[in-house]
Amino acid sequence: MKFVTKKIHAFLDYPVAIALMALPFLLGLGSANPIALQLSVATGIAAFVLTVLTDHQLGIYRVIPYRFHLTVDFLVALVFIAAPFVFSFKGIDAYYYWINGAAVLTVVSLHKPEIAP
């Protein structure tokens, strides 16, 4: 059952981008490995820019196709799931990335295909 529409996705994008920038500081990520903090903040900034440029309801410039946006989201989810293994994140750092990666993968997999006009 796929129910995440382009409109729903658009409304999720900005809060997620802001959370990726703020939560690492609030959760104290990166005490053992600063990359845990830096990766999330950098991804949040990139996600914000991607959202501004995406051709969907809340995109401001709408130059990036929505399908490309979904592909980037999918790749970010894979990177987030792999990051704890690649960078040896432990504890909250690892759980943060696994949970976020799983959440993004879930949203992308529940995307409802658009019907062409």
Side-chain angles (χ1 to χ4, degrees), residues 57-88:
Q57 184 166 350
L58 296 179
I60 296 171
Y61 295 106
R62 300 182 184 189
V63 294
I64 294 175
Y66 180 64
R67 291 203 55 78
F68 180 77
H69 180 115
L70 286 175
T71 301
V72 170
D73 283 353
F74 176 75
L75 294 173
V76 166
L78 295 180
V79 167
F80 272 29
I81 290 167
F85 300 107
V86 173
F87 298 113
S88 300

Side-chain angles (χ1 to χ4, degrees), residues 15-88:
V16 167
I18 292 167
L20 287 170
M21 290 183 270
L23 280 176
F25 295 102
L26 295 172
L27 296 173
L29 296 188
S31 59
N33 186 342
I35 293 173
L37 183 136
Q38 297 163 357
L39 178 61
S40 183
V41 173
T43 303
I45 293 167
F48 192 88
V49 171
L50 180 67
T51 300
V52 166
L53 298 176
T54 296
D55 183 18
H56 64 27
Q57 184 166 350
L58 296 179
I60 296 171
Y61 295 106
R62 300 182 184 189
V63 294
I64 294 175
Y66 180 64
R67 291 203 55 78
F68 180 77
H69 180 115
L70 286 175
T71 301
V72 170
D73 283 353
F74 176 75
L75 294 173
V76 166
L78 295 180
V79 167
F80 272 29
I81 290 167
F85 300 107
V86 173
F87 298 113
S88 300

Side-chain angles (χ1 to χ4, degrees), residues 94-106:
Y95 294 124
Y96 174 84
Y97 281 94
W98 288 328
I99 291 167
N100 275 299
V104 173
L105 220 84
T106 300

